[in-house]
Every structure is written in C-alpha cells, then in structure tokens.
Amino acid sequence: MSKETLILDGNQVANSIKEALKERVKRLVQEGTTPCLATVLVGDDPASETYVRMKGNACKRLGIDSKRVVLDQMTSTEQLIHVINELNNDPSVHGILLQHPVPHHIDERAAFEAISIEKDVDGVTMLGFAQNAFGQALFPSCTPAAIMAIMDAYHIPIEGKHAVVVGRSPILGKPVSMMLLNRNATVTICHSRTQNLDHLVSQGDIVVAAVGKPNFIQGDWIKPGAVIMDAGYNEGNIGDCDYEACFPHASAITPVPGGVGPVTIATLLKHTVDAAERSMKA
Ligand code: NAP
C-alpha cells in the first residue's frame, strides 16, 4: 500500500490545549481566583490512586490548585455525598472529580448525581449527559471531548461519515456517540450483545474503540482508510485495538499510550479553568 497512516499525536494536541490555558490561569490568579480541582478517591485501588495523582500533578504544572480528598474504603454512600456537598458549597473549589470506580457497596450513580452541574467538570451527571446529547454541554465527559478534539486538531471530516462506536458506557461510548451524531455522522453503537460485530466495524469510516479489552478490535475488521480512535487503556499500556494489525488498514490512528489519554487530562484542566472563569461571572 502506498499511502502513509497518520499517527494522531495526543501529546501534541494536549500540549496545545495546555499552552492555551496558561494565559487564562495567569489572568484568573491576577484577579484573585486560582482555579481548583477537587479529586475524591474512595479506597486504595492502586490504578485509581495513580490516575488521581496524575491529574493532581497535571494541575500543579499549570498553576491550578488541586485539593485531594481520600476517603476510607468503608465510606458509606451518605458519607460520600456529604463530602461532595461540602465541595459543592466551597467557593474555592471549581471542579469536582469523583474517581471511578468507587467500592461496590457505594451507590456510584447517587454520588455522581450529588455533584453540582457547575462543578461537574468530568461530565458524569445525568444532566451533563443530557446537555451533551442536546449539543449544549457545559462540560461534556472528558474522554469523548478528547476524541473529538483530536479529530478536530487533525481536521478529520465527521459530517456524513459512518462512525462505529464499540462500547456504550455512560462516560465514554454513549456520550461520544451523541457528539458524533451532533456533528452529523451516522452512528452505529455496538456493545456486548451486538451480533456480527466484525461486519459492523468493517463499515466504519470512523471507528471508536471504548471496550476495555486489550487488542480487541482486529486488523481485518477495519475498512481500508478508516480513522481509528482508540480510547482503550488496559494494563501494560495496551489499547482496545490491535494496533500493529489495524495500522496498515487505517488512514489515521491514535496510539496507546500517547493518544486519547493525555488529551483527556488536558480537557479536564480546560474544564476546570472554564468553571473558574464562570464562577467569576456568577
Ligand atoms: P466499561 O464501562 O467497562 O464499558 C465497556 C463497554 O464495552 C460496554 O458498553 C460493553 O457492553 C462493551 N463491551 C464489552 N465487551 C464487549 C464485546 N465483546 N463486544 C462489544 N462490546 C463489548 O468501560 P469504559 O469505562 O467505557 O472504558 C472503556 C475503555 O476506555 C477502557 O479500556 C478504559 O480503560 C478506557 N478509558 C480510557 C480513558 C482515557 O482517558 N483514555 C478514560 C476512560 C476510559 P455492555 O454495555 O453490553 O456491557
């Protein structure tokens, strides 16, 4: 094949998002408001601890405050909601991120719903999802927004294209499907009960992998010239697509790591700065 496959560089997209935030953070601080993201971690899952630490460090590097709340594994739903309400009422906090997953005994949905919409910078509430579906989100979920930001940064056409999304979780598959639909793609949403998945994926001009299974999407499922957005992040830095096998068929592909992940974090920072600016106008 003579054509080159374009590697969609998430680090580069993330850096340009963060670069654009520096001036805004500086201005906010001069005006007396330091943007602040509160992260809430329940329990001691090592992967979640790592994610929360990465997000806190990313904040620090940009001059954004991060307030870490770590709660015991045995925290009840009521106690967690109480903590979230305190953060809702704390004017120095602009964004709240409750790290998913919380321990099984907690009603995660109830906890997410406790986050006030003005501070839902991770786009986890039902209202946030609905706003996103209507194309009017204050803060769309960060990973879907990151997928769209990468496609826009590389001027990948969306309108009229057939997008096949594999996965329908409330934070990823469903919201990214709505965003693609709002941009006039024709969207097929696949999930664990989908039949003839390989056939459906092979019709996609754009394939979004949001499955949570390493190397799940196979190279021979990919339509020649398709754009592959791999949101998967599995143990050992492995995506949901078999990268080596998909690469020669694709016109463009996100690597793992260095694709959707860094843009997701940059989007979270952007939403926190947006929220801080909004709080100044309130
Ligand atoms: P999730 O909640 O576990 O959802 C997985 C989805 O995949 C579900 O909708 C499930 O279908 C579907 N699925 C499972 N097995 C399937 C199969 N055999 N065929 C077709 N569909 C299947 O996962 P998630 O939170 O959306 O995350 C998905 C991936 O993205 C994970 O690798 C995760 O680590 C990654 N992620 C990355 C970032 C980032 O910043 N890069 C952020 C969040 C998540 P059902 O609905 O029928 O169960």
Side-chain angles (χ1 to χ4, degrees), residues 34-77:
T34 304
C36 175
L37 174 70
T39 58
V40 183
L41 175 67
V42 189
D44 49 15
D45 173 55
S48 294
E49 276 178 5
T50 305
Y51 292 143
V52 166
R53 198 174 42 247
M54 278 166 63
K55 288 163 188 169
N57 290 343
C59 283
K60 258 187 228 138
R61 281 194 291 271
L62 222 65
I64 296 173
D65 274 347
S66 77
K67 183 179 174 122
R68 268 197 89 184
V69 181
V70 181
L71 300 173
D72 186 82
Q73 175 80 15
M74 294 318 294
T75 303
S76 67
T77 302

Side-chain angles (χ1 to χ4, degrees), residues 157-172:
I158 297 172
E159 180 160 327
K161 300 296 178 190
H162 184 185
V164 178
V165 179
V166 189
R168 58 171 168 181
S169 73
I171 54 137
L172 218 177

Side-chain angles (χ1 to χ4, degrees), residues 6 13 19 49 78 105 110 118 148 175 196 216 232 241 265:
L6 179 65
V13 177
E19 201 52 45
E49 276 178 5
E78 290 68 29
H105 67 273
E118 287 79 18
M148 303 304 286
N196 303 320
F216 180 75
C241 296
I265 292 183

